Amino acid sequence: MTDQPLKPCPFCGSVPEIESSLTRIDFGRRLRIECIECGSAGPAVRVNMARRNNDARAIDEWNKRA
Ligand SMILES: [Zn+2]
């Protein structure tokens, strides 16, 4: 897990919890942050098993958009 903070959702303003918002899609091959409040999702990143910062990359993508 990462301690990188999530920015508030650009649509509803709530701050998603990383633990409950980190969502695997495409049979676990991709990862993204989803807002529990309004259901909006950040851009998905491809999970790379050789790298350990997949969570941080998904969070980065969310924060870039927020
Ligand atoms: Zn939201």
Side-chain angles (χ1 to χ4, degrees), residues 1-52:
M1 268 302 158
T2 175
D3 56 4
Q4 189 173 358
L6 283 171
K7 288 186 181 172
C9 174
F11 299 104
C12 71
S14 73
V15 180
E17 301 242 337
I18 291 172
E19 284 80 6
S20 45
S21 299
L22 205 57
T23 304
R24 289 181 185 276
I25 55 175
D26 285 355
F27 306 101
R29 288 196 295 263
R30 294 195 300 158
L31 201 58
R32 69 186 181 190
I33 300 290
E34 285 182 8
C35 175
I36 300 161
E37 289 297 321
C38 70
S40 73
V45 298
R46 186 167 281 277
V47 172
N48 184 338
M49 292 304 176
R51 295 169 67 172
R52 300 178 61 186

